[in-house]
Amino acid sequence: MGKSDKSSVHPLIRQDGRIAKRGIAVVDGITDMPVYGVPYVSSHFIISISHSGMVKAEYDDKKVEFHPHDLSVVYPGHTLLAKSASPDYRATLVVVSDQVFSTLFSSNVSANRFKYEQLPCINLADRQYADVMNAVAALRSTCRLIPKAGVDMALDMLAILVRMVDHFRRQCVDVDSKQGSVRNLSAHFYEAVVKNCARNRDIGFYAEMFSLSPKYFSATIKRETGKSAYYWIKMCTLKQAKQILRTDPEAGINEVAERLGFNDQATFSHFFKKEAGMSPSEYRKKAK
């Protein structure tokens, strides 16, 4: 079991109004997860830094654990299912609203999104942890100036923090990053897929969005990510399907198919079983 008393409102949920109004917030005093036993889907971009203790959870069906000095970068729309938290768990969250996240993304400091989607958590060395917490402290102080000083200064501090995290991530896990490419296309492609895969899963649609030929577009995505463009479209569609099946028990399979732009329930069920290894109904039962 996790914390013994979950009746109080979690600090992240309590801060929702402030985050929506100010765009950025540093939330201290995190001692457990937002919701236990049911999937939680955040609409925010979150950087989480664990100080002590441990949390067990599922991140998009993957079992994860958060230990001291673990830093996690979670993009909007992912499903987190909390399992348990140790009594000594402590963490700090940097939470960014949808609107500010879009600004951050367009400024090209989130170009490693593909990598974070696959591996959201890294473990920081002591010096890295100290540097990150110094950057968070500076951001915390800057956030106190909002709204009087506007969000520009806080955005600058946030951009520095994200760049620092990207740098430490490469030191921790990117052993093949000698090329140092910014990977602009794949990052922006994934953002487009998240927004549009329920309406359009045609590669030509995305190639045209970036004014590229389908052949060149596909080759670039393959080179930057190691996977085909169609693979990422399928995976994003599957992720959204699983999220609806887990978080909206009232939605019938036919309704889920309609929401994701499939012609009929049979086509959706065939797609889901091929990619997930089970039918949508079986997956929903297993998720419960």
Side-chain angles (χ1 to χ4, degrees):
M1 296 295 291
K3 308 290 285 185
S4 59
D5 181 12
K6 298 293 185 303
S7 58
S8 59
V9 180
H10 190 270
L12 176 58
I13 298 174
R14 191 168 62 239
Q15 291 277 0
D16 269 350
R18 181 181 167 200
I19 295 163
K21 182 178 180 181
R22 296 191 169 193
I24 306 171
V26 176
V27 186
D28 296 298
I30 300 296
T31 59
D32 56 13
M33 303 294 279
V35 182
Y36 281 77
V38 294
Y40 174 75
V41 183
S42 174
S43 59
H44 307 306
F45 172 77
I46 300 174
I47 298 175
S48 169
I49 307 105
S50 298
H51 307 307
S52 62
M54 182 186 71
V55 155
K56 292 183 178 181
E58 287 183 12
Y59 170 83
D60 287 348
D61 285 344
K62 297 176 183 176
K63 291 183 179 180
V64 293
E65 294 183 359
F66 302 103
H67 298 271
H69 291 199
D70 275 356
L71 183 147
S72 304
V73 177
V74 180
Y75 285 77
H78 285 274
T79 305
L80 195 66
L81 180 62
K83 297 291 189 178
S84 63
S86 63
D88 59 339
Y89 176 68
R90 299 291 183 274
T92 293
L93 305 181
V94 175
V95 190
V96 182
S97 70
D98 250 356
Q99 185 177 0
V100 174
F101 169 73
S102 297
T103 304
L104 186 70
F105 191 86
S106 64
S107 69
N108 203 33
V109 295
S110 295
N112 286 319
R113 176 165 184 168
F114 270 100
K115 294 185 177 181
Y116 286 116
E117 294 280 353
Q118 299 303 304
L119 183 66
C121 184
I122 59 172
N123 185 259
L124 300 171
D126 290 348
R127 181 69 261 174
Q128 293 171 333
Y129 171 79
D131 288 343
V132 165
M133 291 312 299
N134 285 336
V136 170
L139 177 61
R140 183 189 296 109
S141 297
T142 308
C143 284
R144 294 194 189 106
L145 303 177
I146 302 173
K148 290 183 178 179
V151 298
D152 288 347
M153 193 183 302
L155 264 175
D156 290 341
M157 293 303 304
L158 180 62
I160 291 171
L161 173 62
V162 173
R163 286 192 177 105
M164 181 183 291
V165 171
D166 282 344
H167 175 68
F168 290 155
R169 188 193 188 286
R170 287 194 296 273
Q171 289 183 337
C172 290
V173 298
D174 284 1
V175 295
D176 62 342
S177 61
K178 294 179 181 178
Q179 294 180 356
S181 61
V182 179
R183 305 190 175 211
N184 288 346
L185 182 61
S186 57
H188 287 83
F189 162 62
Y190 192 83
E191 179 78 356
V193 171
V194 170
K195 293 179 180 178
N196 295 286
C197 70
R199 295 185 298 275
N200 204 310
R201 288 182 279 275
D202 180 61
I203 291 175
F205 169 82
Y206 296 98
E208 185 177 350
M209 184 179 291
F210 298 101
S211 302
L212 298 170
S213 71
K215 183 177 180 180
Y216 180 80
F217 174 79
S218 298
T220 303
I221 297 299
K222 175 78 172 180
R223 185 180 70 252
E224 291 185 356
T225 69
K227 301 286 187 180
S228 69
Y230 186 57
Y231 168 85
W232 293 112
I233 295 170
K234 285 193 304 180
M235 289 303 99
C236 189
T237 305
L238 182 64
K239 178 174 80 74
Q240 292 186 12
K242 286 181 175 181
Q243 191 174 99
I244 298 171
L245 290 167
R246 296 182 80 181
T247 61
D248 191 352
E250 300 301 319
I253 305 302
N254 189 56
E255 182 184 341
V256 178
E258 288 180 2
R259 286 197 209 175
L260 293 172
F262 286 87
N263 292 331
D264 51 54
Q265 180 177 330
T267 304
F268 167 67
S269 296
H270 176 76
F271 163 83
F272 191 94
K273 187 165 187 177
K274 181 180 178 182
E275 301 303 330
M278 65 185 78
S279 71
S281 299
E282 289 170 337
Y283 175 81
R284 179 171 265 168
K285 277 184 185 177
K286 182 181 177 184
K288 286 182 180 179

